[in-house]
Amino acid sequence: MEFTTEGLAALSKAIAIVGTGFASAWAEKVIGTAAVGAMVENESIFGKALVLTVLPETIVIFGLVVAILI
C-alpha cells in the first residue's frame, strides 16, 4: 500500500479538525456544567459564565488554521 502526499495531507487535516472539535466539545461540556451550577448559586455571574462557555470555540479555530496551513 502506497501513501501519497495528498492522502497524508488530507489525513493530517482531518485529524487536526476532528481532534480540536472533540477537545472543544469536551471543554465546553465541563465549563457549561460548572457555569450552570455557579449560576444557580449566584445569578449575577451570567455574563462571565457565558464568556467562559464560548471561549473553548477558539480551539476549533486554531485547528482550522493548522489544517489550512497543512
Side-chain angles (χ1 to χ4, degrees):
M1 174 185 279
E2 286 187 37
F3 293 106
T4 63
T5 306
E6 295 85 14
L8 290 176
L11 182 62
S12 300
K13 291 176 186 181
I15 290 172
I17 298 275
V18 170
T20 56
F22 280 131
S24 176
W26 178 78
E28 198 164 335
K29 176 193 70 106
V30 171
I31 293 171
T33 303
V36 169
M39 282 191 296
V40 167
E41 305 259 337
N42 185 4
E43 292 180 5
S44 66
I45 63 167
F46 175 75
K48 292 178 183 176
L50 182 66
V51 169
L52 289 174
T53 303
V54 175
L55 197 61
E57 292 297 324
T58 58
I59 298 172
V60 176
I61 295 171
F62 293 145
L64 179 65
V65 168
V66 168
I68 290 172
L69 290 176
I70 291 176

